[in-house]
Amino acid sequence: MASKLIDVREYTVRAHKREIHTRVFNFVCKQCNETTKRETYGPRPLYCERCRPPQPPKKSQQSSKKAKPRPMTYTSDTNLG
């Protein structure tokens, strides 16, 4: 079994099997305008698998948050009052 380093803030669960319900959609591709069939578990797809192949889900980047700007106090050389 391969080992890897994980961040301690990451939430992990034990491996398991899950049943998902898929449907086969017959539709016209928005890019190539050909009638095609595609099996998916989400909403009706717009593109065929040749125009837009399935891709792995994107990872969210929560650790790259910028710090909020802090108010600064300035001193002036000239006296206004």
Side-chain angles (χ1 to χ4, degrees):
M1 184 167 181
S3 60
K4 66 176 183 175
L5 295 173
I6 60 168
D7 190 5
V8 293
R9 292 178 292 169
E10 185 176 328
Y11 182 75
T12 57
V13 295
R14 194 170 3 148
H16 64 282
K17 291 184 181 181
R18 179 176 289 168
E19 181 181 0
I20 58 170
H21 302 284
T22 60
R23 291 176 50 189
V24 177
F25 288 96
N26 295 312
F27 61 99
V28 177
C29 178
K30 200 172 181 180
Q31 188 170 345
C32 64
N33 293 325
E34 292 184 14
T35 305
T36 185
K37 222 185 250 193
R38 191 165 180 175
E39 182 179 8
T40 181
Y41 61 88
R44 186 179 68 84
L46 298 175
Y47 304 99
C48 63
E49 291 186 356
R50 190 178 42 174
C51 294
R52 303 281 168 90
Q55 296 177 348
K58 297 176 182 172
K59 301 259 182 172
S60 62
Q61 293 186 3
Q62 294 178 353
S63 62
S64 64
K65 289 184 179 179
K66 291 180 78 176
K68 292 183 180 179
R70 301 285 180 210
M72 296 181 64
T73 56
Y74 296 97
T75 56
S76 177
D77 294 338
T78 60
N79 192 0
L80 298 174

